[in-house]
PDB file of all heavy atoms in Angstrom:
ATOM      1  N   VAL A 925       0.816  -1.230   0.002  1.00  0.00           N
ATOM      2  CA  VAL A 925      -0.023  -0.004   0.019  1.00  0.00           C
ATOM      3  C   VAL A 925       0.871   1.267   0.002  1.00  0.00           C
ATOM      4  O   VAL A 925       0.465   2.295  -0.615  1.00  0.00           O
ATOM      5  CB  VAL A 925      -0.958  -0.011   1.202  1.00  0.00           C
ATOM      6  CG1 VAL A 925      -1.788   1.284   1.306  1.00  0.00           C
ATOM      7  CG2 VAL A 925      -1.884  -1.198   1.147  1.00  0.00           C
ATOM      8  N   GLY A 926       2.041   1.229   0.646  1.00  0.00           N
ATOM      9  CA  GLY A 926       2.879   2.396   0.773  1.00  0.00           C
ATOM     10  C   GLY A 926       3.132   3.111  -0.530  1.00  0.00           C
ATOM     11  O   GLY A 926       2.846   4.292  -0.718  1.00  0.00           O
ATOM     12  N   PRO A 927       3.774   2.432  -1.515  1.00  0.00           N
ATOM     13  CA  PRO A 927       4.053   3.077  -2.806  1.00  0.00           C
ATOM     14  C   PRO A 927       2.780   3.519  -3.516  1.00  0.00           C
ATOM     15  O   PRO A 927       2.796   4.533  -4.228  1.00  0.00           O
ATOM     16  CB  PRO A 927       4.819   1.965  -3.591  1.00  0.00           C
ATOM     17  CG  PRO A 927       5.437   1.131  -2.542  1.00  0.00           C
ATOM     18  CD  PRO A 927       4.436   1.091  -1.435  1.00  0.00           C
ATOM     19  N   LEU A 928       1.665   2.759  -3.373  1.00  0.00           N
ATOM     20  CA  LEU A 928       0.429   3.153  -3.995  1.00  0.00           C
ATOM     21  C   LEU A 928      -0.099   4.486  -3.435  1.00  0.00           C
ATOM     22  O   LEU A 928      -0.528   5.371  -4.160  1.00  0.00           O
ATOM     23  CB  LEU A 928      -0.651   2.082  -3.815  1.00  0.00           C
ATOM     24  CG  LEU A 928      -0.563   0.833  -4.687  1.00  0.00           C
ATOM     25  CD1 LEU A 928      -1.690  -0.106  -4.318  1.00  0.00           C
ATOM     26  CD2 LEU A 928      -0.655   1.246  -6.149  1.00  0.00           C
ATOM     27  N   VAL A 929      -0.054   4.625  -2.107  1.00  0.00           N
ATOM     28  CA  VAL A 929      -0.483   5.824  -1.431  1.00  0.00           C
ATOM     29  C   VAL A 929       0.318   7.019  -1.862  1.00  0.00           C
ATOM     30  O   VAL A 929      -0.209   8.085  -2.241  1.00  0.00           O
ATOM     31  CB  VAL A 929      -0.441   5.654   0.123  1.00  0.00           C
ATOM     32  CG1 VAL A 929      -0.637   7.004   0.799  1.00  0.00           C
ATOM     33  CG2 VAL A 929      -1.516   4.650   0.585  1.00  0.00           C
ATOM     34  N   VAL A 930       1.670   6.885  -1.823  1.00  0.00           N
ATOM     35  CA  VAL A 930       2.541   7.966  -2.245  1.00  0.00           C
ATOM     36  C   VAL A 930       2.305   8.302  -3.758  1.00  0.00           C
ATOM     37  O   VAL A 930       2.227   9.451  -4.140  1.00  0.00           O
ATOM     38  CB  VAL A 930       4.012   7.647  -1.991  1.00  0.00           C
ATOM     39  CG1 VAL A 930       4.916   8.719  -2.577  1.00  0.00           C
ATOM     40  CG2 VAL A 930       4.252   7.487  -0.494  1.00  0.00           C
ATOM     41  N   GLY A 931       2.144   7.282  -4.589  1.00  0.00           N
ATOM     42  CA  GLY A 931       1.940   7.491  -6.009  1.00  0.00           C
ATOM     43  C   GLY A 931       0.634   8.225  -6.314  1.00  0.00           C
ATOM     44  O   GLY A 931       0.568   9.132  -7.095  1.00  0.00           O
ATOM     45  N   MET A 932      -0.460   7.788  -5.613  1.00  0.00           N
ATOM     46  CA  MET A 932      -1.748   8.435  -5.809  1.00  0.00           C
ATOM     47  C   MET A 932      -1.731   9.872  -5.322  1.00  0.00           C
ATOM     48  O   MET A 932      -2.282  10.773  -6.002  1.00  0.00           O
ATOM     49  CB  MET A 932      -2.832   7.628  -5.072  1.00  0.00           C
ATOM     50  CG  MET A 932      -3.217   6.327  -5.797  1.00  0.00           C
ATOM     51  SD  MET A 932      -4.696   5.556  -5.096  1.00  0.00           S
ATOM     52  CE  MET A 932      -4.080   5.019  -3.501  1.00  0.00           C
ATOM     53  N   LEU A 933      -1.118  10.086  -4.144  1.00  0.00           N
ATOM     54  CA  LEU A 933      -1.010  11.469  -3.633  1.00  0.00           C
ATOM     55  C   LEU A 933      -0.223  12.329  -4.567  1.00  0.00           C
ATOM     56  O   LEU A 933      -0.568  13.488  -4.856  1.00  0.00           O
ATOM     57  CB  LEU A 933      -0.329  11.460  -2.244  1.00  0.00           C
ATOM     58  CG  LEU A 933      -1.219  11.179  -1.048  1.00  0.00           C
ATOM     59  CD1 LEU A 933      -0.361  11.074   0.215  1.00  0.00           C
ATOM     60  CD2 LEU A 933      -2.257  12.284  -0.864  1.00  0.00           C
ATOM     61  N   SER A 934       0.859  11.803  -5.141  1.00  0.00           N
ATOM     62  CA  SER A 934       1.710  12.540  -6.057  1.00  0.00           C
ATOM     63  C   SER A 934       0.939  12.942  -7.299  1.00  0.00           C
ATOM     64  O   SER A 934       0.958  14.125  -7.749  1.00  0.00           O
ATOM     65  CB  SER A 934       2.931  11.708  -6.402  1.00  0.00           C
ATOM     66  OG  SER A 934       3.723  12.371  -7.345  1.00  0.00           O
ATOM     67  N   ASP A 935       0.229  11.976  -7.902  1.00  0.00           N
ATOM     68  CA  ASP A 935      -0.584  12.282  -9.097  1.00  0.00           C
ATOM     69  C   ASP A 935      -1.648  13.308  -8.803  1.00  0.00           C
ATOM     70  O   ASP A 935      -1.927  14.206  -9.610  1.00  0.00           O
ATOM     71  CB  ASP A 935      -1.221  11.022  -9.616  1.00  0.00           C
ATOM     72  CG  ASP A 935      -0.233  10.080 -10.347  1.00  0.00           C
ATOM     73  OD1 ASP A 935       0.806  10.575 -10.818  1.00  0.00           O
ATOM     74  OD2 ASP A 935      -0.520   8.859 -10.463  1.00  0.00           O
ATOM     75  N   LEU A 936      -2.283  13.184  -7.611  1.00  0.00           N
ATOM     76  CA  LEU A 936      -3.368  14.090  -7.242  1.00  0.00           C
ATOM     77  C   LEU A 936      -2.879  15.518  -7.094  1.00  0.00           C
ATOM     78  O   LEU A 936      -3.459  16.479  -7.609  1.00  0.00           O
ATOM     79  CB  LEU A 936      -4.041  13.611  -5.967  1.00  0.00           C
ATOM     80  CG  LEU A 936      -5.212  14.402  -5.416  1.00  0.00           C
ATOM     81  CD1 LEU A 936      -6.364  14.358  -6.417  1.00  0.00           C
ATOM     82  CD2 LEU A 936      -5.657  13.879  -4.045  1.00  0.00           C
ATOM     83  N   ILE A 937      -1.765  15.677  -6.343  1.00  0.00           N
ATOM     84  CA  ILE A 937      -1.216  17.025  -6.095  1.00  0.00           C
ATOM     85  C   ILE A 937      -0.645  17.615  -7.362  1.00  0.00           C
ATOM     86  O   ILE A 937      -0.814  18.803  -7.657  1.00  0.00           O
ATOM     87  CB  ILE A 937      -0.147  16.968  -5.012  1.00  0.00           C
ATOM     88  CG1 ILE A 937      -0.768  16.493  -3.649  1.00  0.00           C
ATOM     89  CG2 ILE A 937       0.546  18.332  -4.798  1.00  0.00           C
ATOM     90  CD1 ILE A 937       0.236  16.187  -2.572  1.00  0.00           C
ATOM     91  N   ALA A 938      -0.015  16.780  -8.199  1.00  0.00           N
ATOM     92  CA  ALA A 938       0.571  17.252  -9.480  1.00  0.00           C
ATOM     93  C   ALA A 938      -0.537  17.731 -10.397  1.00  0.00           C
ATOM     94  O   ALA A 938      -0.362  18.711 -11.136  1.00  0.00           O
ATOM     95  CB  ALA A 938       1.354  16.142 -10.142  1.00  0.00           C
ATOM     96  N   SER A 939      -1.687  17.062 -10.402  1.00  0.00           N
ATOM     97  CA  SER A 939      -2.796  17.451 -11.283  1.00  0.00           C
ATOM     98  C   SER A 939      -3.461  18.730 -10.909  1.00  0.00           C
ATOM     99  O   SER A 939      -4.209  19.308 -11.655  1.00  0.00           O
ATOM    100  CB  SER A 939      -3.867  16.325 -11.329  1.00  0.00           C
ATOM    101  OG  SER A 939      -4.501  16.222 -10.072  1.00  0.00           O
ATOM    102  N   ASP A 940      -3.145  19.202  -9.683  1.00  0.00           N
ATOM    103  CA  ASP A 940      -3.706  20.463  -9.236  1.00  0.00           C
ATOM    104  C   ASP A 940      -2.885  21.658  -9.679  1.00  0.00           C
ATOM    105  O   ASP A 940      -3.043  22.771  -9.183  1.00  0.00           O
ATOM    106  CB  ASP A 940      -3.791  20.430  -7.664  1.00  0.00           C
ATOM    107  CG  ASP A 940      -4.660  21.521  -7.096  1.00  0.00           C
ATOM    108  OD1 ASP A 940      -5.646  21.900  -7.793  1.00  0.00           O
ATOM    109  OD2 ASP A 940      -4.407  21.984  -5.976  1.00  0.00           O
ATOM    110  N   GLY A 941      -1.980  21.434 -10.644  1.00  0.00           N
ATOM    111  CA  GLY A 941      -1.180  22.508 -11.203  1.00  0.00           C
ATOM    112  C   GLY A 941       0.214  22.650 -10.623  1.00  0.00           C
ATOM    113  O   GLY A 941       0.961  23.515 -11.067  1.00  0.00           O
ATOM    114  N   ARG A 942       0.613  21.808  -9.680  1.00  0.00           N
ATOM    115  CA  ARG A 942       1.919  21.943  -9.062  1.00  0.00           C
ATOM    116  C   ARG A 942       2.993  21.170  -9.819  1.00  0.00           C
ATOM    117  O   ARG A 942       4.167  21.388  -9.551  1.00  0.00           O
ATOM    118  CB  ARG A 942       1.870  21.457  -7.591  1.00  0.00           C
ATOM    119  CG  ARG A 942       0.841  22.248  -6.778  1.00  0.00           C
ATOM    120  CD  ARG A 942       1.008  21.980  -5.319  1.00  0.00           C
ATOM    121  NE  ARG A 942      -0.028  22.664  -4.553  1.00  0.00           N
ATOM    122  CZ  ARG A 942      -0.037  22.737  -3.198  1.00  0.00           C
ATOM    123  NH1 ARG A 942       0.925  22.209  -2.514  1.00  0.00           N
ATOM    124  NH2 ARG A 942      -1.022  23.369  -2.607  1.00  0.00           N
ATOM    125  N   GLY A 943       2.597  20.255 -10.708  1.00  0.00           N
ATOM    126  CA  GLY A 943       3.600  19.533 -11.504  1.00  0.00           C
ATOM    127  C   GLY A 943       4.109  18.300 -10.806  1.00  0.00           C
ATOM    128  O   GLY A 943       3.915  18.117  -9.582  1.00  0.00           O
ATOM    129  N   PRO A 944       4.774  17.400 -11.529  1.00  0.00           N
ATOM    130  CA  PRO A 944       5.241  16.139 -10.948  1.00  0.00           C
ATOM    131  C   PRO A 944       6.287  16.254  -9.830  1.00  0.00           C
ATOM    132  O   PRO A 944       6.335  15.430  -8.933  1.00  0.00           O
ATOM    133  CB  PRO A 944       5.780  15.358 -12.188  1.00  0.00           C
ATOM    134  CG  PRO A 944       6.065  16.424 -13.181  1.00  0.00           C
ATOM    135  CD  PRO A 944       5.070  17.514 -12.956  1.00  0.00           C
ATOM    136  N   ALA A 945       7.138  17.282  -9.933  1.00  0.00           N
ATOM    137  CA  ALA A 945       8.189  17.399  -8.898  1.00  0.00           C
ATOM    138  C   ALA A 945       7.589  17.825  -7.541  1.00  0.00           C
ATOM    139  O   ALA A 945       7.820  17.162  -6.542  1.00  0.00           O
ATOM    140  CB  ALA A 945       9.203  18.445  -9.375  1.00  0.00           C
ATOM    141  N   GLU A 946       6.769  18.863  -7.549  1.00  0.00           N
ATOM    142  CA  GLU A 946       6.173  19.340  -6.275  1.00  0.00           C
ATOM    143  C   GLU A 946       5.125  18.363  -5.802  1.00  0.00           C
ATOM    144  O   GLU A 946       4.920  18.197  -4.596  1.00  0.00           O
ATOM    145  CB  GLU A 946       5.560  20.736  -6.480  1.00  0.00           C
ATOM    146  CG  GLU A 946       6.604  21.832  -6.637  1.00  0.00           C
ATOM    147  CD  GLU A 946       7.569  21.864  -5.426  1.00  0.00           C
ATOM    148  OE1 GLU A 946       7.114  21.992  -4.289  1.00  0.00           O
ATOM    149  OE2 GLU A 946       8.814  21.763  -5.675  1.00  0.00           O
ATOM    150  N   GLY A 947       4.455  17.711  -6.765  1.00  0.00           N
ATOM    151  CA  GLY A 947       3.462  16.711  -6.352  1.00  0.00           C
ATOM    152  C   GLY A 947       4.091  15.587  -5.572  1.00  0.00           C
ATOM    153  O   GLY A 947       3.596  15.159  -4.516  1.00  0.00           O
ATOM    154  N   LEU A 948       5.203  15.126  -6.032  1.00  0.00           N
ATOM    155  CA  LEU A 948       5.935  14.052  -5.340  1.00  0.00           C
ATOM    156  C   LEU A 948       6.524  14.541  -4.002  1.00  0.00           C
ATOM    157  O   LEU A 948       6.439  13.835  -3.019  1.00  0.00           O
ATOM    158  CB  LEU A 948       7.024  13.481  -6.224  1.00  0.00           C
ATOM    159  CG  LEU A 948       7.852  12.325  -5.641  1.00  0.00           C
ATOM    160  CD1 LEU A 948       6.906  11.162  -5.194  1.00  0.00           C
ATOM    161  CD2 LEU A 948       8.856  11.799  -6.692  1.00  0.00           C
ATOM    162  N   ARG A 949       7.073  15.757  -4.010  1.00  0.00           N
ATOM    163  CA  ARG A 949       7.671  16.300  -2.784  1.00  0.00           C
ATOM    164  C   ARG A 949       6.603  16.319  -1.659  1.00  0.00           C
ATOM    165  O   ARG A 949       6.848  15.825  -0.559  1.00  0.00           O
ATOM    166  CB  ARG A 949       8.166  17.714  -3.016  1.00  0.00           C
ATOM    167  CG  ARG A 949       8.912  18.307  -1.807  1.00  0.00           C
ATOM    168  CD  ARG A 949       8.872  19.815  -1.790  1.00  0.00           C
ATOM    169  NE  ARG A 949       9.529  20.437  -2.913  1.00  0.00           N
ATOM    170  CZ  ARG A 949      10.785  20.871  -2.937  1.00  0.00           C
ATOM    171  NH1 ARG A 949      11.546  20.664  -1.877  1.00  0.00           N
ATOM    172  NH2 ARG A 949      11.277  21.474  -3.989  1.00  0.00           N
ATOM    173  N   TRP A 950       5.409  16.837  -1.923  1.00  0.00           N
ATOM    174  CA  TRP A 950       4.405  16.978  -0.881  1.00  0.00           C
ATOM    175  C   TRP A 950       3.736  15.679  -0.550  1.00  0.00           C
ATOM    176  O   TRP A 950       3.267  15.492   0.583  1.00  0.00           O
ATOM    177  CB  TRP A 950       3.407  18.080  -1.241  1.00  0.00           C
ATOM    178  CG  TRP A 950       4.068  19.442  -1.127  1.00  0.00           C
ATOM    179  CD1 TRP A 950       4.526  20.240  -2.136  1.00  0.00           C
ATOM    180  CD2 TRP A 950       4.407  20.113   0.073  1.00  0.00           C
ATOM    181  NE1 TRP A 950       5.149  21.350  -1.618  1.00  0.00           N
ATOM    182  CE2 TRP A 950       5.070  21.315  -0.281  1.00  0.00           C
ATOM    183  CE3 TRP A 950       4.230  19.804   1.433  1.00  0.00           C
ATOM    184  CZ2 TRP A 950       5.542  22.219   0.677  1.00  0.00           C
ATOM    185  CZ3 TRP A 950       4.665  20.713   2.395  1.00  0.00           C
ATOM    186  CH2 TRP A 950       5.312  21.893   1.992  1.00  0.00           C
ATOM    187  N   ALA A 951       3.696  14.746  -1.470  1.00  0.00           N
ATOM    188  CA  ALA A 951       3.200  13.418  -1.153  1.00  0.00           C
ATOM    189  C   ALA A 951       4.105  12.764  -0.134  1.00  0.00           C
ATOM    190  O   ALA A 951       3.648  12.095   0.801  1.00  0.00           O
ATOM    191  CB  ALA A 951       3.116  12.552  -2.407  1.00  0.00           C
ATOM    192  N   LEU A 952       5.388  12.922  -0.289  1.00  0.00           N
ATOM    193  CA  LEU A 952       6.357  12.354   0.667  1.00  0.00           C
ATOM    194  C   LEU A 952       6.293  13.053   2.016  1.00  0.00           C
ATOM    195  O   LEU A 952       6.407  12.401   3.053  1.00  0.00           O
ATOM    196  CB  LEU A 952       7.790  12.454   0.077  1.00  0.00           C
ATOM    197  CG  LEU A 952       8.040  11.573  -1.149  1.00  0.00           C
ATOM    198  CD1 LEU A 952       9.397  11.969  -1.809  1.00  0.00           C
ATOM    199  CD2 LEU A 952       8.025  10.118  -0.819  1.00  0.00           C
ATOM    200  N   VAL A 953       6.122  14.360   2.013  1.00  0.00           N
ATOM    201  CA  VAL A 953       5.975  15.129   3.285  1.00  0.00           C
ATOM    202  C   VAL A 953       4.749  14.628   4.066  1.00  0.00           C
ATOM    203  O   VAL A 953       4.825  14.361   5.237  1.00  0.00           O
ATOM    204  CB  VAL A 953       5.875  16.622   3.006  1.00  0.00           C
ATOM    205  CG1 VAL A 953       5.447  17.381   4.264  1.00  0.00           C
ATOM    206  CG2 VAL A 953       7.224  17.171   2.506  1.00  0.00           C
ATOM    207  N   ILE A 954       3.645  14.507   3.363  1.00  0.00           N
ATOM    208  CA  ILE A 954       2.377  14.110   4.040  1.00  0.00           C
ATOM    209  C   ILE A 954       2.497  12.690   4.589  1.00  0.00           C
ATOM    210  O   ILE A 954       2.091  12.448   5.723  1.00  0.00           O
ATOM    211  CB  ILE A 954       1.196  14.194   3.047  1.00  0.00           C
ATOM    212  CG1 ILE A 954       0.920  15.644   2.651  1.00  0.00           C
ATOM    213  CG2 ILE A 954      -0.047  13.547   3.605  1.00  0.00           C
ATOM    214  CD1 ILE A 954       0.005  15.850   1.484  1.00  0.00           C
ATOM    215  N   SER A 955       3.118  11.819   3.830  1.00  0.00           N
ATOM    216  CA  SER A 955       3.216  10.409   4.328  1.00  0.00           C
ATOM    217  C   SER A 955       4.107  10.286   5.575  1.00  0.00           C
ATOM    218  O   SER A 955       3.912   9.398   6.392  1.00  0.00           O
ATOM    219  CB  SER A 955       3.789   9.504   3.208  1.00  0.00           C
ATOM    220  OG  SER A 955       5.130   9.864   2.914  1.00  0.00           O
ATOM    221  N   SER A 956       5.024  11.243   5.772  1.00  0.00           N
ATOM    222  CA  SER A 956       5.889  11.229   6.967  1.00  0.00           C
ATOM    223  C   SER A 956       5.107  11.360   8.238  1.00  0.00           C
ATOM    224  O   SER A 956       5.527  10.855   9.301  1.00  0.00           O
ATOM    225  CB  SER A 956       6.939  12.336   6.858  1.00  0.00           C
ATOM    226  OG  SER A 956       7.713  12.231   5.709  1.00  0.00           O
ATOM    227  N   GLY A 957       3.970  12.032   8.165  1.00  0.00           N
ATOM    228  CA  GLY A 957       3.154  12.248   9.371  1.00  0.00           C
ATOM    229  C   GLY A 957       2.590  10.971   9.966  1.00  0.00           C
ATOM    230  O   GLY A 957       2.228  10.934  11.153  1.00  0.00           O
ATOM    231  N   LEU A 958       2.572   9.882   9.199  1.00  0.00           N
ATOM    232  CA  LEU A 958       2.071   8.627   9.704  1.00  0.00           C
ATOM    233  C   LEU A 958       2.993   7.990  10.731  1.00  0.00           C
ATOM    234  O   LEU A 958       2.612   7.058  11.446  1.00  0.00           O
ATOM    235  CB  LEU A 958       1.889   7.634   8.517  1.00  0.00           C
ATOM    236  CG  LEU A 958       0.781   7.950   7.525  1.00  0.00           C
ATOM    237  CD1 LEU A 958       0.800   7.005   6.347  1.00  0.00           C
ATOM    238  CD2 LEU A 958      -0.584   7.869   8.230  1.00  0.00           C
TER     239      LEU A 958
END
């Protein structure tokens, strides 16, 4: 589930106009809170 969660978050944030780099960055930040 871990890579799926990070991948889905990355795609979701990137599609909001932030692009693949920032999408991945913030997906990793959010997952750290777990």
Side-chain angles (χ1 to χ4, degrees):
V925 176
L928 282 180
V929 168
V930 174
M932 285 190 292
L933 276 174
S934 177
D935 285 338
L936 182 64
I937 298 170
S939 67
D940 196 30
R942 302 193 184 189
E946 290 303 305
L948 183 54
R949 186 205 298 267
W950 288 104
L952 293 169
V953 168
I954 292 168
S955 67
S956 303
L958 291 173

